[in-house]
Amino acid sequence: FRRFRLRGLFSSPPFKDDAALSVLDIYGLTRANPATPAIAAHRYEDALAAIRPALAYPGKIGRGRLLLAVGQALAQLGRFAEAEAAFRAAARLAPRDLDLWTNVATACAAQGRTAEALRLFASVLRRNPRHAAALGNLVLLRRQMGQP
């Protein structure tokens, strides 16, 4: 790993193209492997501890998957503000992934920020009117608000 650090793989210089980021994604995902059994056993704090070092690796697709896992673990722990931040970071890496934006909206709703959640759900449903998770969570939010 020291060799990689000297080559700048763990810092911003030099520029990393998509090929470099995809290789680094593999290192990050491999580093996060111990989180899988922790998540399966509902040991979310342990999972977060296993994933956080993997986030040191720059990447793109794999990094997004790690951020999604972090957000899901934080949401299970009731830490919705942190979960929202992780979901937003993942959504910035894959802005067309409607599931990520649905997670952001759901985290906003869990924090009581219903106006923002409604706006995000509407944005998702404009792009895909049949998005099941967005529809389901929107129905739940409207019920909580006393709306039909």
Side-chain angles (χ1 to χ4, degrees):
F1 288 116
R2 184 173 296 152
R3 220 177 43 222
F4 291 129
R5 186 166 286 119
L6 291 174
R7 292 182 183 165
L9 293 177
F10 291 113
S11 60
S12 38
F15 171 76
K16 294 166 195 64
D17 61 7
D18 284 340
L21 290 175
S22 66
V23 169
L24 291 169
D25 269 340
I26 294 167
Y27 284 105
L29 290 170
T30 302
R31 181 78 190 264
N33 275 343
T36 304
I39 290 171
H42 306 287
R43 293 188 335 265
Y44 299 110
E45 290 290 350
D46 294 341
L48 289 171
I51 293 172
R52 294 216 190 267
L55 289 173
Y57 293 85
K60 198 170 184 178
I61 296 168
R63 183 175 182 77
R65 288 177 47 203
L66 292 174
L67 288 166
L68 173 63
V70 166
Q72 290 170 333
L74 290 167
Q76 289 294 326
L77 292 169
R79 295 162 53 184
F80 296 109
E82 294 172 83
E84 178 193 351
F87 291 141
R88 283 188 187 274
R92 278 192 296 276
L93 293 172
R96 294 182 182 185
D97 187 336
L98 298 180
D99 292 332
L100 293 173
W101 289 110
T102 300
N103 288 339
V104 173
T106 304
C108 289
Q111 296 174 73
R113 297 191 352 246
T114 54
E116 186 172 3
L118 290 171
R119 182 184 59 77
L120 288 165
F121 283 133
S123 173
V124 168
L125 292 171
R126 267 193 306 277
R127 293 190 242 166
N128 179 2
R130 294 183 180 177
H131 193 278
L135 284 169
N137 288 335
L138 179 59
V139 166
L140 289 174
L141 178 59
R142 284 190 174 166
R143 281 187 189 154
Q144 289 175 351
M145 296 170 57
Q147 296 178 355

